[in-house]
């Protein structure tokens, strides 16, 4: 249903809204959302497999599922009021109003404690000023979960989350010019004296860092699953081409150096799958925080995706640059997995600090 349309949508920079609507009908956009709000109430393992399989077909389509459930959905489910859940989760589940999470700013993304976007309380509302960038689905979303600070001097203790609607005064969005992933609706957002009602604050003032940290655990689990699916897609393409291409009188899959690349891909993909699935099992077992396990899963799976895309590209040779084969696009898109929801370098720091005892749950 999805895979045959990806190249056309990317070429036309067209957001796959028709596919997203069908995904909503199947309950995918509301995978983790409780049934009372129109959700599917999936277990985390099933949710991870959903991300994995969708990623084998299209990064844009799996991204809308991941953002809706992991970053936006998790925060609302755990910390939202009943009114906030009814107002924002139900239309999200039906794809009537898509949602997006707004963390990254022009000045940086990994160091959330140093964000520059401010929120000042005035007469029963907040006034938000600042900018966000690389916001997935920002050109089409109607609901935005925005990270801002009520006091920059407080660092992470001043971070607060707000639910901003596209129609709020002072809010604007525009598409970012990209070389790849042009179908994902990635946008730059501006908040110029943007007026947000107090009832649209998620949690208490200063609780935003805690809320987002818990959401990022689920988010990194889903990103790991997405990287895993992307790596599997690269392997799929490599295997098909290695059996199709004939050189020196035999399929290139018969050559040992090609087999070496394939063996490396298979082993690392299976190892990544074990780490990703373990994170899902821990969430299903009731663990509220899995920061260490989620970082390990994202770290290994994203690195596996990069290497798998390189190997698959090499196996294709010159045809990897041809638009007749999808591996060239997969190769370009792979790099996003090492940046989104925490860079590879940040994941390494987190894993190391847990090992050293500097960081604890």
């Amino acid at each position: 249903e999805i895979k045959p349309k990806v190249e056309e949508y990317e070429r036309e920079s067209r957001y796959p809204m028709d596919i997203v609507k069908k995904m909503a009908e199947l309950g995918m956009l509301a995978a983790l959302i409780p049934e009372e709000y129109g959700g599917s109430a999936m277990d985390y393992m099933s949710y991870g497999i959903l991300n994995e399989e969708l990623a084998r077909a299209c990064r844009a389509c799996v991204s809308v599922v991941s953002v809706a459930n992991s970053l936006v959905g998790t925060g609302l489910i755990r910390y939202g009021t009943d009114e906030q859940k009814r107002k924002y989760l139900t239309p999200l589940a039906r794809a009537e109003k898509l949602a997006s999470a707004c963390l990254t700013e022009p000045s940086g993304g990994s160091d959330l404690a140093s964000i520059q976007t401010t929120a000042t309380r005035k007469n029963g509302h907040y006034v938000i000023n600042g900018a966000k960038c690389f916001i997935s689905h920002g050109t089409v979303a109607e609901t935005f979960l925005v990270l801002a600070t009520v006091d920059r001097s407080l660092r992470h203790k001043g971070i607060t989350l707000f639910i901003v609607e596209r129609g709020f005064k002072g809010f604007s969005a525009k598409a970012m010019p990209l070389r790849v992933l042009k179908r994902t609706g990635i946008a730059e957002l501006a908040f110029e004296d943007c007026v947000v009602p107090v009832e649209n604050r998620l949690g208490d003032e200063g609780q935003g860092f805690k809320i987002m940290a818990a959401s990022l655990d689920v988010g990194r689990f889903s990103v790991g699953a997405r990287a895993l699916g992307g790596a599997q897609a690269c392997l799929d393409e490599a295997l098909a081409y290695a059996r199709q291409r004939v050189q020196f009188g035999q399929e290139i899959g018969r050559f040992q150096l090609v087999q070496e690349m394939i063996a490396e891909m298979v082993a690392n993909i299976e190892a990544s799958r074990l780490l990703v699935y373990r994170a899902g099992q821990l969430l299903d077992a009731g663990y509220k925080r899995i920061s260490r396990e989620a970082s390990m899963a994202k770290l290994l799976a994203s690195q596996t995706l990069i290497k798998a895309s390189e190997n698959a590209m090499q196996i294709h040779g010159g045809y990897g640059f041809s638009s007749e084969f999808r591996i060239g696009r997969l190769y370009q898109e792979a790099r996003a997995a090492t940046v989104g929801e925490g860079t590879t370098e940040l994941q390494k720091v987190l894993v190391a600090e847990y090992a050293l005892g500097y960081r604890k749950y």
Side-chain angles (χ1 to χ4, degrees), residues 7 21 31 60 75 101 191 213 221 232 251 271 276-278 294 328 345 356:
E7 297 294 345
K21 294 285 187 182
F191 304 87
F221 160 61
Q232 184 66 55
E251 295 175 357
V276 170
Y277 285 12
R278 178 168 178 257
E345 292 73 24
L356 289 162

Side-chain angles (χ1 to χ4, degrees), residues 54-299:
L54 284 172
R56 290 177 74 175
C58 177
R59 182 176 176 82
C61 291
V62 70
S63 176
V64 72
V65 170
S66 179
V67 171
N69 288 280
S70 300
L71 293 184
V72 177
T74 298
L76 279 167
I77 292 165
R78 293 184 181 180
Y79 295 92
T81 64
D82 289 339
E83 176 59 28
Q84 287 173 339
K85 293 175 185 177
R86 283 193 299 270
K87 185 174 181 180
Y88 296 108
L89 289 179
T90 301
L92 174 59
R94 298 171 181 165
E96 295 171 351
K97 293 183 178 180
L98 298 186
S100 187
C102 308
L103 285 67
T104 304
E105 299 184 347
S107 59
S110 294
D111 184 8
L112 295 181
S114 66
I115 63 171
Q116 300 299 302
T117 300
T118 60
T120 305
R121 187 161 179 169
K122 293 182 179 180
N123 303 321
H125 61 265
Y126 286 89
V127 177
I128 297 181
N129 282 283
K132 303 289 182 179
C133 60
F134 296 105
I135 305 304
S136 298
H137 319 290
T139 62
V140 295
E142 294 289 336
T143 304
F144 300 85
L145 200 58
V146 179
L147 209 62
T149 178
V150 294
D151 187 341
R152 289 177 183 166
S153 67
L154 295 177
R155 296 280 291 170
H156 68 277
K157 293 182 179 180
I159 303 297
T160 307
L161 273 168
F162 299 91
I163 306 168
V164 177
E165 298 177 20
R166 180 174 289 273
F168 282 179
K169 179 182 177 182
F171 171 87
S172 63
K174 65 177 182 179
M176 292 191 71
L178 301 175
R179 294 188 182 277
V180 292
L181 296 171
K182 294 181 285 187
R183 65 192 186 282
T184 55
I186 294 178
E188 297 175 288
L189 309 181
F191 304 87
E192 299 176 358
D193 292 332
C194 181
V195 178
V196 179
V198 170
E199 56 267 27
N200 276 47
R201 186 186 67 216
L202 183 62
D204 298 327
E205 285 191 4
Q207 201 175 16
F209 194 88
K210 174 184 176 181
I211 297 172
M212 190 50 63
S215 298
L216 280 170
D217 283 357
V218 182
R220 286 167 182 162
F221 160 61
S222 69
V223 171
R226 288 158 53 184
L228 171 60
Q232 184 66 55
C234 292
L235 176 59
D236 294 342
E237 297 300 314
L239 292 174
Y241 190 78
R243 295 299 305 271
Q244 168 191 336
R245 181 69 166 171
V246 174
Q247 289 287 281
F248 302 100
Q250 62 181 357
E251 295 175 357
I252 63 172
R254 296 286 184 183
F255 292 105
Q256 289 182 341
L257 289 178
V258 172
Q259 291 178 355
E260 178 187 34
M261 288 188 281
I262 289 174
E264 181 183 67
M265 294 163 72
V266 171
N268 286 331
I269 287 170
E270 290 303 322
S272 298
R273 183 169 284 118
L274 289 172
L275 274 181
V276 170
Y277 285 12
R278 178 168 178 257
Q281 289 171 338
L282 289 174
L283 287 168
D284 282 330
Y287 285 72
K288 296 299 182 183
R289 296 298 307 274
I290 60 159
S291 301
R292 174 177 171 269
E293 293 77 13
S295 286
M296 287 194 297
K298 181 187 183 298
L299 174 62

